Amino acid sequence: VGVGIGRQGSGDLRALGSHNIIGIADPDEAWSGRYYPSTKVKRWRDYRRMFDDIGNDIDAVLTATPDHARFAVCMFFIQRGKHVYAEKPLCHTINETRILYQESQKHKVVTQMGNQGHSAESTAQIRDWIKAGSIGKVTEVIGYSRKNYGTLVQPVQGSVIPKTLDWNLWLNRAEEIPFSTSYMNREWIRFSHFSGLIGDMATHILDPANYSLELGAPISVEADVQEKHGRFPGSLPIAGVITWEFAARGDQPPVTMKYYLGPEIPDPRPKRYEEKRSAPYMNSGSVMVGETETIFAGSHSQSPRISPEAAMQATPRPPRVSQRNKGRGHVGN
């Protein structure tokens, strides 16, 4: 079954077209009617009522709700022994993530988060380079995205809730606030009530470093955001730099990770930066700075290269020690 099937969720369900989709739940019937008008797939607004009706027939759930609701949906199905594929960001807080993991272990269900780049050969290749010491020990990680999550426009007041939408159900566990058309069509991503700056693209961009370096929890986090005139409480910053410090791990040194975010951020210009980088690195990507060389990669770890290019050509192929996706792309995984 699918829960929250607008946009990303609809694409995910289409990717699972070879499976038997027996139901979808979305508090906005405009979404479910648009993407699944067929009467062959039963539709509900409330995923809990869907479970009441067909729970015994459900094997697994795919959920792509807005960020604020995903924890509740995942928890509901995991506690009932159903396997879960959830889009990212997985939760709204660190503690929610810890609780969700504990419950998944307790109920012995199969889970996966929708981090497309993690299924790619390129992510495994980057980790192989790091494990082989191809660029020396890494002390610095840089991620960047020129996406703009901020807004200077106050939410529209006095909006009438469409008849197709159950606003209370859409809010799920979030604090009750008046409906506004400003939150619809994924514009909720600009408001701290529903989302945050890190979970969207950083989940992709910083994954190769987190996976390859096995960073664990940071010892400090600092956010330096650029305030803009006209910004209001609840709106996300236009731009900023977030810095995490990670302790040494075994024989690996401490790591400083910086995430440059927003359309107006300065170019980070990491060591061994080459002016003529190819397209994947222009608007978002990640960089791992080692003692001798640097690894550049695109937003989803695509097209990784060791820099300078001469080192890329001279570096021997490392042992294939990292797990590979045996399916065909992320969908196969």
Side-chain angles (χ1 to χ4, degrees):
V1 296
V3 177
I5 54 88
R7 296 199 177 188
Q8 184 66 34
S10 65
D12 288 344
L13 280 180
R14 284 195 294 271
L16 295 177
S18 61
H19 297 273
N20 183 24
I21 300 170
I22 61 172
I24 55 175
D26 195 298
D28 190 346
E29 291 178 337
W31 282 120
S32 59
R34 180 185 310 173
Y35 290 111
Y36 274 86
S38 171
T39 55
K40 294 181 181 179
V41 180
K42 292 190 67 175
R43 290 184 282 157
W44 288 260
R45 280 184 169 181
D46 192 326
Y47 57 89
R48 297 165 299 183
R49 293 197 179 280
M50 176 174 68
F51 187 87
D52 288 343
D53 291 343
I54 62 170
N56 290 336
D57 298 324
I58 295 174
D59 296 316
V61 60
L62 182 153
T63 180
T65 66
D67 302 356
H68 69 282
R70 200 162 300 133
F71 167 80
V73 174
C74 291
M75 182 65 80
F76 179 88
F77 285 98
I78 285 174
Q79 289 184 329
R80 287 156 180 79
K82 306 303 180 182
H83 309 300
V84 173
Y85 175 97
E87 273 302 337
K88 54 81 203 162
L90 190 58
C91 295
H92 214 202
T93 69
I94 297 294
N95 192 50
E96 285 180 351
T97 307
R98 290 173 176 154
I99 293 171
L100 204 60
Y101 172 74
Q102 291 165 2
E103 288 296 308
S104 71
Q105 297 298 294
K106 176 181 175 181
H107 294 279
K108 296 181 173 57
V109 294
V110 177
T111 62
Q112 186 180 9
M113 185 177 73
N115 196 337
Q116 288 83 1
H118 200 78
S119 296
E121 167 67 23
S122 54
T123 300
Q125 180 182 4
I126 291 170
R127 187 173 183 273
D128 287 350
W129 277 332
I130 296 297
K131 293 301 180 185
S134 299
I135 66 170
K137 294 185 177 183
V138 175
T139 58
E140 182 181 6
V141 174
I142 293 173
Y144 56 96
S145 171
R146 300 200 178 278
K147 211 168 179 180
N148 177 20
Y149 295 93
T151 178
L152 300 178
V153 180
Q154 292 267 3
V156 173
Q157 301 297 311
S159 299
V160 177
I161 302 174
K163 292 181 179 179
T164 59
L165 174 66
D166 185 329
W167 176 239
N168 185 57
L169 187 58
W170 192 93
L171 284 172
N172 200 288
R173 296 166 63 249
E175 181 181 352
E176 185 176 8
I177 59 175
F179 170 76
S180 174
T181 53
S182 299
Y183 305 138
M184 297 293 98
N185 298 318
R186 207 173 183 259
E187 288 300 295
W188 50 262
I189 204 169
R190 302 186 184 280
F191 301 92
S192 60
H193 200 77
F194 308 115
S195 188
L197 290 173
I198 304 299
D200 185 42
M201 287 305 296
T203 308
H204 299 300
I205 293 167
L206 300 177
D207 177 61
N210 182 61
Y211 177 48
S212 301
L213 301 173
E214 300 174 5
L215 294 174
I219 56 177
S220 70
V221 184
E222 181 180 353
D224 179 14
V225 298
Q226 297 180 14
E227 295 292 345
K228 286 282 187 178
H229 178 70
R231 203 176 149 246
F232 53 90
S235 64
L236 295 176
I238 299 292
V241 182
I242 297 99
T243 303
W244 295 266
E245 298 289 349
F246 295 90
R249 296 133 358 262
D251 63 347
Q252 298 302 307
V255 171
T256 297
M257 174 185 282
K258 289 183 177 290
Y259 184 47
Y260 293 78
L261 180 66
E264 301 172 10
I265 59 170
D267 192 329
R269 294 281 164 173
K271 290 179 183 177
R272 306 176 199 96
Y273 179 93
E274 293 176 310
E275 294 290 343
K276 296 181 180 179
R277 298 309 310 182
S278 54
Y281 313 115
M282 293 179 66
N283 293 315
S284 60
S286 68
V287 183
M288 281 181 268
V289 180
E291 297 168 300
T292 55
E293 284 86 26
T294 297
I295 295 175
F296 289 78
S299 60
H300 291 59
S301 84
Q302 74 272 28
S303 307
R305 304 292 290 180
I306 292 177
S307 182
E309 188 62 28
M312 176 72 192
Q313 302 302 323
T315 299
R317 186 183 296 249
R320 290 167 61 91
V321 298
S322 302
Q323 180 177 327
R324 257 64 179 182
N325 168 19
K326 296 179 181 178
R328 195 173 177 184
H330 180 62
V331 172
N333 198 15

